[in-house]
Amino acid sequence: MKKILAFAGSNSTTSINKQLATYIASLVDEKYDVADLNDYQLPIFSIDIEAEGFPKAALKFNKLLSNYDGFVVSLAEHNGSYSAVFKNLFDWVSRIDRKVFKEKPVLLLATSPGARGGKSVLETAATTFPHMGANIVSTFSLPSFYDHFKNDEIQDPELKEGLLKAIKEFQLVI
């Protein structure tokens, strides 16, 4: 059985992206783990701090990624891009290993309360993650999270069909 790690690009304790990543990981496989970026507190990336050595949290997250066969990642969108906590973590980890995702499969997601569903950050990640060692197998954007995600699942049949297609693509390579 393959090991799946789900996480959100957010440090919000009520992250809708963490809810989405966890839900989708449960549909991918009955056994999965969920990481919380709050467990990896880091200083803002600085070449000067790096010269003193890598922070333990960056080393710990890099090691965590090495222990899994694939990832379900749902990105929060802040001003059309990555959240600061996510960008900072990945800046640090990419200095340890440029191939952050270790050439492993990634099911890339985004959601937001708005009608675009985090599409801007999803497009950015789809362009940049492959340079970071991500084998992006499929993507999915859930618009208007609070309208479409109720009772711990996606309610809209058309959106759910699109999600199941993305999951199936991911399952074929994981």
Side-chain angles (χ1 to χ4, degrees):
M1 181 175 288
K2 300 289 185 171
K3 291 176 66 176
I4 305 296
L5 179 67
F7 63 93
S10 171
N11 60 350
S12 169
T13 57
T14 59
S15 170
I16 60 177
N17 279 281
K18 187 174 182 183
Q19 290 176 56
L20 183 64
T22 302
Y23 164 68
I24 291 175
S26 75
L27 297 176
V28 169
D29 197 316
E30 60 194 40
K31 189 165 171 74
Y32 61 92
D33 293 320
V34 179
D36 187 330
L37 296 193
N38 288 303
D39 295 335
Y40 304 93
Q41 298 290 322
L42 289 161
I44 297 295
F45 177 78
S46 163
I47 213 81
D48 296 328
I49 296 172
E50 180 186 7
E52 299 170 14
F54 291 107
K56 288 180 183 175
L59 293 166
K60 183 179 169 185
F61 194 77
N62 182 60
K63 184 177 180 181
L64 177 75
L65 295 177
S66 295
N67 294 329
Y68 289 87
D69 300 304
F71 309 103
V72 175
V73 181
S74 188
L75 298 172
E77 183 174 284
H78 291 187
N79 298 319
S81 191
Y82 304 119
S83 68
V85 69
F86 177 81
K87 176 73 167 82
N88 190 52
L89 175 62
F90 277 82
D91 285 345
W92 275 111
V93 174
S94 72
R95 299 294 287 191
I96 298 166
D97 181 353
R98 183 78 179 137
K99 300 293 184 179
V100 173
F101 289 101
K102 323 294 186 217
E103 305 294 345
K104 297 176 184 179
V106 175
L107 175 51
L108 185 58
L109 317 163
T111 191
S112 75
R116 286 189 34 85
K119 281 190 178 183
S120 293
V121 73
L122 194 63
E123 291 168 0
T124 299
T127 301
T128 59
F129 276 24
H131 301 290
M132 298 171 71
N135 173 13
I136 299 175
V137 176
S138 55
T139 63
F140 177 78
S141 169
L142 179 64
S144 306
F145 179 83
Y146 295 107
D147 294 334
H148 296 297
F149 193 85
K150 296 179 181 176
N151 301 319
D152 295 323
E153 68 177 317
I154 294 174
Q155 300 296 312
D156 182 280
E158 190 173 314
L159 288 170
K160 193 162 190 175
E161 182 180 328
L163 169 61
L164 294 175
K165 180 181 178 215
I167 289 171
K168 186 168 284 202
E169 292 169 355
F170 183 67
Q171 288 171 320
L172 289 173
V173 298
I174 192 69

